[in-house]
């Protein structure tokens, strides 16, 4: 291990070190505030450490043959860390109100984030699976964290079992691919057309795709999503929806670029099938949904389907456009989704159950204009209406699809979006409706995280109206990473 | 700095809309008129700078929205001679009208709402003329249409005003649709909507002219005809007079209705390519100016007289564009903005003094009771009738002489235009004589203050001296070298000069000292028929009601259950049905989910194996 290795892995070291300090701290003195403070400090230091890491890499830096760190990974890592910071901020009032002994949650949050960072940088099956399991196991515990309640436990159990199925599919796939090609490093994975092991190899790739599709909650491996989204506490749902999916997307784009797995027609069409099914079925499932958390779950299925378009044109569109699209879409999706669950979380802080029924938001415009405005921005952004960051992201996907001449996918995007507008607007309509006399009052709204939610809501609009700085930044990152 | 010009009125509008009338009236007046006044000062400053560079073209990119591949939509302002003249008119005359309105609207409900709409209008109009892109132009184009709708129906408690507003909106929509089609076609053929690039592309692609180019020009002309109230889409303008008088002055005389003229002048390179487009423009103008001059002669409502006169004068501008007299057309646009705004505002003062009486036959003998409105009206009328020395004279004279020299239909254009010029001075004389002379029929109560008569005096000065402004400011900067100051001694030139004077003389003989009696003719069967025919605007409304409105209403009645909607409702019910179907899969049961995963896995493996 050289000194440069150390500097490049410094953010991860800081994060893991912080986790250890927090563990020791919690075992000595239980203070919720202190745990939150240590967590935030660790996360912020880790963000800062990326600056040091960036100084030591040019286009990319190979760590131990397992990880590759480039500007793109740094971008994803910072997103994960910011997502974790927002989650920690939301978690404090949420758990503080309803349970004792909340400190371990932050340990899990930090380990999950570390796992996500490993997955995003993985260039080898070993690091991929290791990172994925660190992430997933932390998530099971985070979902089940309010351990006295029935719903989180049920959600965690479902996620545990189904996730295990997906993980075993990936492991089996890796075994087959290894048997056929004799290597586990992404860059060396390929097989000659005449090779007798070609069928093992493709079968293995198919199984890996299935596992990844499950983690991204793509149709037909999506069924866990609404149940887990609904059962998990809103803060955790926001984290599952953003950081865990962002990590797998980062891995996926790495993987398809390094292995060129999509040049095998069979794999390509399998992914096309998954993408189209997600865009259409995801939106159809959301159509008349009355539970906001389930609605957002179905919406996320569709959105991951849209994002898959950018991944699928990796061989036909310019690689820099593909990467720009993926980075921009993930960033936009993070902002929008965190804002959405932030609002659910905010209105649930003082309640025993999450405020997740849409009718609870009836007339929100007349009762809490600020929250209603943010939620409107969220709905419009998810629908991809211009002047929100959601439109910019969707437009990028559209442009990538057109450049990659993936017409079937572009059509699915259009049809899916058209269906989607219906239920997003229905949400806005609910908020504008006049409150009927005698309706249940809006649960008391916490004040602590209002700032975070407002900032996220502003970002949705500001980056939609003036996205140039973000686009320029992403473009610089992509170019600096050698594309 | 140029961005401030549209930004200030927008800011004013936003402030007034957000405060929802909670501000004191005095503050509303200051914000409403001040924002446009400041914009005028900024426009002057930028204009001077641009003139100083001698470049005559200035672009300012405000904002690039996003850049995805080759697609990078931006909002860019473009200022050249043409845009500068328009900006000057919009902000300068606009400011005077706003100032006048602070007095005129003082007693009305919704004072703040009025100025919010007016400022919004000024913003939209400025985006229309300053946008370097046809898309920005079209946004401004639709924006002014919206404001026009809102302001025509400003006194919304009377359903008739709402009807007038809807009529204006729907009729101009016909033109807007044509224009949008023209833009689509242009984009398909040339691949850009950036004005300068599109013009260069068009001249490079179709140097010999082509059917496509003519089609695009005619579609754009369709948009221009709708907005500028030219035949056959002119029927909305007289009804638009239902709006408050300052609105008529600003939107329906000085600025918005001239947007069509601006559009054609802006796209002149395409119209100049070989093809019949120019003749169409000229004929549209000729027919309109002729028809509306006759209609104005028999109207009794002072604002409707002015409305038909506006149509007629814009007809002159179209004629000028159609014969290639670009500068003369824009020059007339400017002088017309001065004197027509003056006429409307002065008539507004008269109307206000007579407690909202608009019928000229109920006025009379007002000349020594309403001195400033009378003098203003007189000066405006002199310019409208194009008597020598006034601003209207210079611009109209230039148009008529260029029209005469047009190669193919020159004589026809000239005769029509001179005939209408005669009618113009005739109806103008009639309006002045009946309104201000003779016996007093209604006692006026004038209580206008400086904010109302101040603008009138400034506009008086511009109506007289505006012609010289044209030579000094406009002449060198227009594409075709500007308006030449020449004095022709030929018969044609003398006739052009003399016909308006003849009109005034005959007008005086009829309505002044009654030397010529038209009572007998008017009472005759033919005379009455003619009067009604002219009065109704040559039967256009009558025809449209029968050909379009009534059949459409009947169709709507037959189709009450909405046959077209069936398609959309069936899509909705289909998606709902599928939703209910797929929803069944979300059972919440782990065993079912796991089974589905395995099935999905098999499907994926199958696809991979089959395709491999």
């Amino acid at each position: 291990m050289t000194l440069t290795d150390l500097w490049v892995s410094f953010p991860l070291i800081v994060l893991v070190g912080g986790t250890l300090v927090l563990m020791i701290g919690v075992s000595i003195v239980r203070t919720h505030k202190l745990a939150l403070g240590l967590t935030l400090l660790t996360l912020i230091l880790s963000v800062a450490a990326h600056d040091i890491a960036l100084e030591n890499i040019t286009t990319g830096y190979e760590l131990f043959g397992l990880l590759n760190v480039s500007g793109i990974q740094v971008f994803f890592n910072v997103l994960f860390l910011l997502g974790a910071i927002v989650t920690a901020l939301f978690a404090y009032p949420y758990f503080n109100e309803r349970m004792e002994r909340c400190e371990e949650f932050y340990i899990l949050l930090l380990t999950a984030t570390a796992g996500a960072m490993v997955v995003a940088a993985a260039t080898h099956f070993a690091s991929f699976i290791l990172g994925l399991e660190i992430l997933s196991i932390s998530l099971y515990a985070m979902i089940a964290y309010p351990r006295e309640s029935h719903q989180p436990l049920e959600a965690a159990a479902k996620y545990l079992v189904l996730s295990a199925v997906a993980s075993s599919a990936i492991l089996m796939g890796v075994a087959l691919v290894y048997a056929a090609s004799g290597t586990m490093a992404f860059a060396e994975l390929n097989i000659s057309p005449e090779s007798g092991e070609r069928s093992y190899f493709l079968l293995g790739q198919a199984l890996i795709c299935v596992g990844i599709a499950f983690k991204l909650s793509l149709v037909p491996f999506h069924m866990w999503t609404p149940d887990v989204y609904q059962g998990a506490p809103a803060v955790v749902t926001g984290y599952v929806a953003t950081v865990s999916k962002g990590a797998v997307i980062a891995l996926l784009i790495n993987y398809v670029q390094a292995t060129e797995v999509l040049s095998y027609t069979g794999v390509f069409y399998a992914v096309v099938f998954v993408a189209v099914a997600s865009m259409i079925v995801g939106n159809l499932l959301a159509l008349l949904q009355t539970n906001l958390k389930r609605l957002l779950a179905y919406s996320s299925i569709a959105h991951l389907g849209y994002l898959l378009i950018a991944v699928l044109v990796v061989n036909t569109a310019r690689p820099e456009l593909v990467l720009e699209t993926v980075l921009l879409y993930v960033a936009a999706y993070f902002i929008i989704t965190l804002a959405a669950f932030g609002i659910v979380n905010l209105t649930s802080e003082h309640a025993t159950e999450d405020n997740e029924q849409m009718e609870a938001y009836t007339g929100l415009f007349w009762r809490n204009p600020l929250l209603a405005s943010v939620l409107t921005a969220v709905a419009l952004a998810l629908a991809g209406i211009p002047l929100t960051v959601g439109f910019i992201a969707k437009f990028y996907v559209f442009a990538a699809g057109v450049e990659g001449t993936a017409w079937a996918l572009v059509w699915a995007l259009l049809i899916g979006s058209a269906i989607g507008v219906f239920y997003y607007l229905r949400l806005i309509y609910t908020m504008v409706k006049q409150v009927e006399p005698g309706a249940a009052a809006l649960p008391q709204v916490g004040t602590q995280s209002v700032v975070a939610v407002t900032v996220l809501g502003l970002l949705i609009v500001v980056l939609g109206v003036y996205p140039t700085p973000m686009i320029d930044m992403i473009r610089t990152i992509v170019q600096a990473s050698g594309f | 700095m140029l961005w401030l010009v549209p930004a200030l009125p927008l800011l004013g509008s936003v402030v007034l809309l957000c405060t929802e009338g909670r501000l004191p009236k005095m503050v509303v007046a200051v914000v409403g008129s001040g924002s446009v006044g400041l914009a005028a000062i900024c426009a002057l400053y930028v204009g001077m700078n641009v003139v100083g560079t001698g470049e005559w073209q200035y672009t300012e990119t405000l904002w690039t929205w996003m850049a995805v591949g080759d697609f990078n939509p931006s909002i860019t302002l473009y200022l050249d001679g043409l845009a500068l003249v328009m900006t000057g008119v919009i902000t300068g005359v606009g400011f005077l009208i706003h100032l006048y309105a602070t007095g005129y609207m003082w007693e009305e409900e919704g004072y703040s709402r009025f100025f919010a709409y007016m400022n919004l209008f000024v913003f939209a109009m400025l985006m229309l003329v300053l946008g370097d892109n046809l898309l920005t132009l079209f946004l401004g184009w639709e924006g002014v249409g919206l404001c026009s709708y809102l302001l025509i129906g400003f006194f919304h408690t009377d359903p008739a005003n709402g009807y007038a507003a809807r009529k204006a909106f729907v009729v101009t929509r016909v033109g807007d649709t044509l224009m949008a089609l023209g833009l689509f076609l242009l984009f398909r053929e040339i691949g850009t909507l950036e004005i300068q690039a599109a013009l260069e592309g068009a001249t490079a692609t179709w140097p010999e002219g082509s059917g496509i180019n003519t089609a695009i020009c005619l579609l754009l002309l369709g948009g221009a005809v709708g907005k500028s109230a030219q035949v056959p889409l002119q029927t909305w303008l007289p009804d638009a007079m239902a709006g408050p008088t300052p609105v008529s002055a600003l939107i329906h005389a000085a600025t918005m209705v001239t947007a069509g003229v601006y559009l054609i002048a802006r796209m002149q390179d395409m119209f100049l390519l070989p093809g019949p487009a120019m003749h169409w423009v000229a004929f549209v103008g000729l027919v309109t100016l002729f028809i509306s001059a006759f209609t104005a002669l028999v109207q009794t409502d002072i604002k409707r007289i002015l409305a038909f006169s506006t149509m007629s004068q814009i007809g002159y501008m179209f004629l000028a564009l159609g014969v290639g007299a670009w500068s003369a057309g824009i020059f007339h646009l400017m002088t017309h903005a001065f004197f027509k705004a003056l006429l409307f505002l002065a008539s507004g003062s008269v109307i206000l003094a007579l407690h909202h009486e608009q019928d000229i036959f109920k006025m009379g003998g007002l000349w020594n009771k309403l001195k400033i409105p009378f003098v203003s009206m007189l000066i405006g009328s002199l310019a409208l009738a194009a008597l020598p020395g006034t601003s209207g004279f210079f611009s109209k004279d230039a148009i008529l002489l260029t029209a005469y020299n047009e190669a193919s239909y020159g004589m026809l254009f000239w005769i029509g235009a001179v005939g209408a010029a005669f009618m113009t001075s005739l109806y103008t004389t009639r309006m002045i004589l009946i309104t201000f002379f003779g016996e007093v029929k209604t006692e006026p109560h004038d209580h206008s203050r400086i904010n109302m008569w101040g603008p009138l005096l400034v506009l008086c000065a511009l109506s007289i001296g505006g012609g010289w402004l044209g030579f000094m400011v406009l002449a060198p900067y227009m594409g075709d070298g500007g308006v030449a100051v020449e004095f022709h001694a030929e018969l044609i030139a003398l006739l052009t000069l003399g016909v308006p004077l003849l009109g005034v003389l005959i007008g005086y003989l009829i309505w002044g000292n009654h030397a010529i009696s038209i009572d007998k003719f008017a009472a005759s069967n033919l005379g009455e028929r003619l009067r009604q025919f002219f009065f109704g605007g040559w039967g256009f409304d009558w025809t449209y009601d029968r050909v379009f409105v009534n059949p459409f209403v009947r169709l709507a009645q037959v189709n009450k259950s909405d046959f077209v909607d069936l398609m959309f409702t069936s899509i909705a019910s289909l998606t709902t049905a599928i939703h209910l179907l797929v929803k069944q899969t979300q059972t919440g049961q782990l065993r079912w989910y796991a089974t589905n995963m395995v099935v999905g896995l098999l499907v994926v493996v199958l696809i991979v194996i089959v395709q491999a």
Side-chain angles (χ1 to χ4, degrees), chain B residues 516-554:
Chain B
I516 302 175
S517 173
I518 53 163
D519 293 347
K520 208 169 161 192
F521 176 68
S524 72
N525 199 0
L526 176 70
E528 179 58 23
R529 287 251 177 98
L530 264 182
R531 193 193 70 79
Q532 280 187 352
F533 179 63
F534 289 155
F535 187 80
W538 295 50
F540 274 96
D541 270 324
W542 189 87
T543 320
Y544 287 174
D545 275 350
R546 270 154 196 74
V547 177
F548 298 114
V549 179
N550 291 346
F552 193 77
V553 169
R554 231 166 286 144

Side-chain angles (χ1 to χ4, degrees), chain A residues 96-113:
Chain A
N96 206 31
E97 282 291 324
R98 61 184 74 198
M99 50 192 298
E100 294 163 5
R101 294 196 291 271
C102 341
E103 293 78 10
E104 284 86 352
F105 179 81
Y106 300 96
I107 300 173
L108 294 167
L109 181 68
L110 292 181
T111 50
T113 309

Side-chain angles (χ1 to χ4, degrees), chain A residues 158 227 284 464-465 467-468 475, chain B residues 63-65 67 579 586 588 593:
Chain A
K158 278 182 184 166
D227 290 16
L284 279 172
V465 176
T468 314
R475 198 161 283 177
Chain B
W63 173 51
T64 306
W65 188 18
H579 161 77
Q586 295 293 151
Y593 289 1

